[in-house]
Amino acid sequence: MSIVTNKELLDRAKKGSYAVAAFNTNNLEYTQAILWAAAELQAPVIVEAAKSEVDYMDGHVFVAMISALAAKLSIPVGIHLDHGPSYEEAVRCLAYGFKSVMYDGSALPLEENIANTRKVVEAAHACGVSVEGEVGVIGQAEDSPEGKKNDLIGIANPDECERFVKETRVDCFAAAIGNAHGLYKRKPALRFDILAEIERRTGIPLVLHGGTGIPEEDLRKAITMGVSKINFSTVMRKGGIETLTATLHANPGELDLMKLLAPSRDKMIEIAKQHIIMCMSDHKV
Ligand SMILES: [Zn+2]
């Protein structure tokens, strides 16, 4: 089907009380796994890449690859920049043809985050592209493409979220509510009280980062409370790499890269399907 904006996907998800699963990618097999899993379940899906991943693949190649794969499928697909570090990077992705960009100014003082996000919103909206912002630093449980380990689990301030949304006019935003990127060392304790307050004050679709390892019942509860996009990165990389390692050990001397990578792709299809079902977005096309 078509490549659509995250605004279109998330507004529908919020109304329908499900979340769109967003998966990071940085190569062909990984991207095929995401799109084929979503197509099998007839689910809308977002393919996203952090700056390091965009640079690794080349932004034009990334957009062309997703567009070509999506053209053969009957599902709506989003192409999104995850954790855009600057105005310049967001604008570069507009030129590549991304349909959604995130600007992450959460580490800056609120005024600066608002001013920078607003600039990104003005440029992106002029091109018909959606913007995701972030308030309250979402920590890193490990080094990952989204950033370096900092062990910080932040909690967003609902007053700041309200002001941020009003002054930036973002289409959706990620708020830190006890979630983190990478692998959680202990069961994450999501602050549902803060989530409820943020939803009440802002009313726009909310994004939950660090979906890997959050118990299914907590994900579903968050979705019923207004979370409309959930990011999964670590769980796919972990499954894909573990399968690749096992395949390499089982096939010493194998020189056909397709034979080595196909089992990883199958594993990632299985993982993506599990997480799409957790998001309750299957059969929501
Ligand atoms: Zn993130």
Side-chain angles (χ1 to χ4, degrees), residues 82-83 146 181 209 231:
D82 187 28
H83 291 284
E146 301 104 311
H181 300 109
H209 283 236
N231 288 10

Side-chain angles (χ1 to χ4, degrees), residues 215-259:
E216 184 167 352
E217 65 269 24
D218 286 359
L219 286 183
R220 288 185 182 234
K221 186 173 175 185
I223 293 167
T224 62
M225 296 175 72
V227 166
S228 309
K229 171 177 178 266
I230 303 181
N231 288 10
F232 301 104
S233 174
T234 308
V235 69
M236 292 280 277
R237 281 184 282 122
K238 186 170 180 292
I241 290 168
E242 282 171 357
T243 303
L244 178 59
T245 306
T247 310
L248 287 168
H249 281 302
N251 299 278
E254 176 60 65
L255 291 176
D256 184 342
L257 202 53
M258 292 184 286
K259 281 191 186 150

Side-chain angles (χ1 to χ4, degrees), residues 1-159:
M1 207 202 263
S2 48
I3 302 297
V4 296
T5 64
N6 279 12
K7 176 170 173 52
E8 205 174 319
L9 291 172
L10 302 195
D11 284 351
R12 266 195 71 199
K14 191 170 163 68
K15 275 195 204 103
S17 290
Y18 61 91
V20 180
F23 299 99
N24 287 67
T25 185
N26 46 47
N27 76 357
L28 173 66
E29 285 80 2
Y30 206 157
T31 309
Q32 287 172 323
I34 296 162
L35 291 171
W36 293 353
E40 209 178 311
L41 292 174
Q42 282 297 290
V45 75
I46 295 163
V47 185
E48 59 184 28
K51 182 189 180 320
S52 61
E53 294 171 313
V54 174
D55 290 346
Y56 179 80
M57 290 178 285
D58 180 292
H60 286 117
V61 173
F62 178 62
V63 171
M65 172 175 68
I66 298 170
S67 304
L69 290 167
K72 295 180 189 293
L73 309 172
S74 58
I75 51 167
V77 174
I79 303 179
H80 175 75
L81 168 68
D82 187 28
H83 291 284
S86 63
Y87 172 78
E88 288 74 15
E89 189 58 31
V91 168
R92 196 170 298 134
C93 287
L94 297 181
Y96 291 142
F98 281 57
K99 281 292 183 180
S100 172
V101 293
M102 176 180 188
Y103 169 71
D104 179 0
S106 62
L108 302 171
L110 183 67
E111 279 70 22
E112 233 176 296
N113 186 9
I114 289 175
N116 294 355
T117 306
R118 192 163 45 203
K119 256 179 79 181
V120 172
V121 169
E122 281 166 7
H125 282 185
C127 304
V129 170
S130 328
V131 179
E132 176 180 328
E134 179 170 324
V135 182
V137 177
I138 297 167
Q140 301 285 143
E142 59 164 24
D143 285 359
S144 69
E146 301 104 311
K148 290 288 174 212
K149 182 175 162 66
N150 62 18
D151 266 336
L152 185 72
I153 303 252
I155 301 292
N157 174 332
D159 289 335

